[in-house]
Amino acid sequence: MTKALLERSFLHWVGVIGLTLVSIKLADRWDWMTEYPDKLILPVSDVLNAMMNWTVENLGWFFMGISWLLEWPIWAMQQILNGLPWAVSIFLFCVISFAATGVRLALFTLCATLYMVVIGYWDQSMNSLSLVAISVPMAILVGFAVGVWGFFSQRAERAIMPTLDLLQTIPAFAYLLPILLLFGFGTVVGLIASVIYSFPPMVRNTIVGLRRVAPEIIESGVMSGATPAQLFWQVRVPSARKQIMLGVNQATMASLSMVIIASMIGAGGLGFEVLAALRRLDIGAGFEAGLAIVALAIALDRLSQAFAARRPHHES
């Protein structure tokens, strides 16, 4: 049996090598084997540009209306974060960090936020944080809803998973441009791009978490007389809480990374400072802003991980 398989595999490789050598030999006679004919190239970019132009001309008013609505929560969050004295904001951040995990995270948050103050990037940091504070809840809600849909519907999951792969692999700037054309130049571009980029991890973790709930737990809920809604919200979701909170952590970090990228095309904040330093070839300013981004990212990562690791009161 093994000998027959080896002989078949050997014949396959001989065929592949032979076909390759023949193709190389014929390449000199058939030009189309080395250079693809220009007449056969599909005008995909022209079609996409035509579709985008039609959308902007006919539905631009709709997307600009959405942009106007989304500006309000961003503006409100910026007013709150920039309106509070920096000392009060730092104190509140440290209190939240202490409540999440203890003294160590509170001390790190204190050092990170004080660094943003002493280098003069406090306002820019709060602008970036305001976008994260709005985009993360939106990404979590969208991701959780899509994840629940995929959990209950296999047909929906077959469409959701390739879409998530596309959103997570396509370069960010590839869809920043159409978002910019549809929603205009400004902070809303960063918000929408951040939600699009950060909700896929939430979807995946929601589906995985709900599917990992032990059948015994579901059976106990059914035997207790739980309705389908109670079985989902009071049995499945609490049991999948750890995996879902991991999705929250990943969505938070993805949102921050996209906010930094989107700030280069109108969202402002720390990313714009990095871009401005790059244009001026100012290494010091770029390094300062980059460290502020790192400090903000680490603080948010540790904070979200701390809340994800906390056990519910009924499990204590």
Side-chain angles (χ1 to χ4, degrees):
M1 185 70 175
T2 305
K3 184 177 180 180
L5 290 176
L6 290 175
E7 291 178 353
R8 184 180 301 177
S9 177
F10 176 75
L11 292 176
H12 288 168
W13 280 110
V14 169
V16 170
I17 295 173
L19 181 60
T20 303
L21 293 176
V22 171
S23 300
I24 294 174
K25 186 65 176 178
L26 295 177
D28 296 334
R29 299 182 181 180
W30 296 337
D31 295 337
W32 58 269
M33 294 187 66
T34 56
E35 295 183 5
Y36 192 77
D38 294 338
K39 296 180 180 180
L40 298 181
I41 296 178
L42 299 177
V44 178
S45 60
D46 295 336
V47 174
L48 294 177
N49 289 333
M51 293 173 59
M52 178 57 64
N53 292 333
W54 183 91
T55 303
V56 172
E57 292 176 1
N58 295 275
L59 298 176
W61 59 271
F62 174 74
F63 291 102
M64 292 305 296
I66 295 177
S67 176
W68 180 80
L69 290 175
L70 292 177
E71 283 181 357
W72 286 101
I74 300 174
W75 177 84
M77 185 59 63
Q78 288 178 342
Q79 294 301 311
I80 293 173
L81 293 178
N82 290 321
L84 290 173
W86 63 267
V88 175
S89 297
I90 291 178
F91 173 75
L92 294 176
F93 294 152
C94 291
V95 169
I96 295 174
S97 301
F98 179 79
T101 187
V103 178
R104 294 180 61 182
L105 182 58
L107 289 176
F108 177 81
T109 302
L110 176 62
C111 295
T113 49
L114 281 177
Y115 171 77
M116 300 173 192
V117 174
V118 298
I119 64 173
Y121 284 152
W122 178 256
D123 292 338
Q124 293 86 340
S125 300
M126 292 303 99
N127 288 335
S128 296
L129 183 60
S130 63
L131 277 177
V132 174
I134 299 299
S135 63
V136 168
M138 292 178 62
I140 291 172
L141 290 175
V142 173
F144 182 77
V146 176
V148 171
W149 183 32
F151 169 73
F152 282 109
S153 174
Q154 292 185 353
R155 181 179 299 178
E157 185 185 5
R158 286 194 293 268
I160 290 171
M161 288 305 175
T163 304
L164 297 181
D165 294 336
L166 178 64
L167 291 175
Q168 290 186 299
T169 54
I170 188 172
F173 287 99
Y175 56 81
L176 280 178
L177 181 57
I179 293 174
L180 182 64
L181 294 175
L182 291 174
F183 296 95
F185 191 84
T187 55
V188 176
V189 176
L191 175 63
I192 297 174
S194 177
V195 173
I196 293 175
Y197 185 75
S198 59
F199 87 90
M202 186 66 191
V203 177
R204 296 185 187 276
N205 282 279
T206 299
I207 294 176
V208 171
L210 293 175
R211 285 189 174 162
R212 286 183 178 177
V213 177
E216 296 81 5
I217 298 177
I218 304 301
E219 292 176 1
S220 64
V222 173
M223 293 177 62
S224 300
T227 64
Q230 292 173 336
L231 189 66
F232 178 76
W233 292 108
Q234 299 180 18
V235 178
R236 286 190 184 274
V237 172
S239 300
R241 175 183 177 276
K242 187 174 182 179
Q243 190 72 37
I244 293 175
M245 290 303 297
L246 178 61
V248 172
N249 172 259
Q250 294 178 359
T252 301
M253 300 311 298
S255 175
L256 178 62
S257 63
M258 179 50 64
V259 163
I260 299 303
I261 295 175
S263 63
M264 298 180 180
I265 58 171
L270 293 171
F272 179 79
E273 297 299 328
V274 175
L275 179 62
L278 180 63
R279 290 173 175 173
R280 301 192 306 266
L281 297 179
D282 190 342
I283 298 176
F287 192 72
E288 284 181 345
L291 284 181
I293 294 173
V294 172
L296 182 60
I298 295 176
L300 289 175
D301 178 61
R302 296 295 183 269
L303 187 62
S304 57
Q305 283 186 4
F307 280 110
R310 293 181 65 179
R311 301 179 63 183
H313 294 294
H314 67 274
E315 296 182 3
S316 302

